[in-house]
Amino acid sequence: MEPVNTGDQPGKGFDGDNTIAFRKKEIQEALLEFITRNFMVERSDIKLDLSMIDEGIIDSFGLVEIVTFMESAFDMEVADDDMNRDNFGSVLKIVDYIHRQTDTDIPIRAVT
């Protein structure tokens, strides 16, 4: 049996827009799972387009924990200069940042 194509291979599976949306959804789910598990917050309390710091969900140490998670789960490195509101101002901005920094064919690792 041939593996299911998630659209990561050009010319097969989803078109480009669907592939990006699918990948961002995976990233968002992994990030939200980490946040809810480690910061004892319900998903319904997380506003995807608002700052988690401004909302009182995390503090600066929490941001460092999220960066550590990102580097491990998404096999990436976050530059100090990248840690700003443009990239980390909300869950949606973090998801966009991760997506820009990683190849779409890199699997998301389970991190406990």
Side-chain angles (χ1 to χ4, degrees), residues 43-93:
R43 277 190 191 211
S44 59
D45 294 334
I46 301 171
K47 309 291 188 284
L48 299 179
D49 59 341
L50 298 178
S51 166
M52 290 183 289
I53 292 175
D54 292 348
E55 293 292 303
I57 295 171
I58 63 169
D59 56 16
S60 58
F61 294 111
L63 185 58
V64 171
E65 288 182 57
I66 289 173
V67 168
T68 301
F69 161 74
M70 290 167 52
E71 290 179 333
S72 177
F74 301 104
D75 195 25
M76 61 184 290
E77 190 171 321
V78 177
D80 290 341
D81 291 344
D82 288 346
M83 292 186 64
N84 56 52
R85 281 195 173 265
D86 289 338
N87 296 323
F88 288 87
S90 69
V91 169
L92 294 177
K93 288 183 179 186

Side-chain angles (χ1 to χ4, degrees), residues 9-35:
Q9 297 173 0
K12 297 182 180 179
F14 299 120
D15 63 35
D17 290 339
N18 285 338
T19 300
I20 291 170
F22 180 76
R23 177 68 178 159
K24 284 186 176 184
K25 185 71 173 166
E26 286 181 311
I27 293 168
Q28 181 175 304
E29 286 303 312
L31 182 60
L32 287 171
E33 175 65 27
F34 175 80
I35 293 167

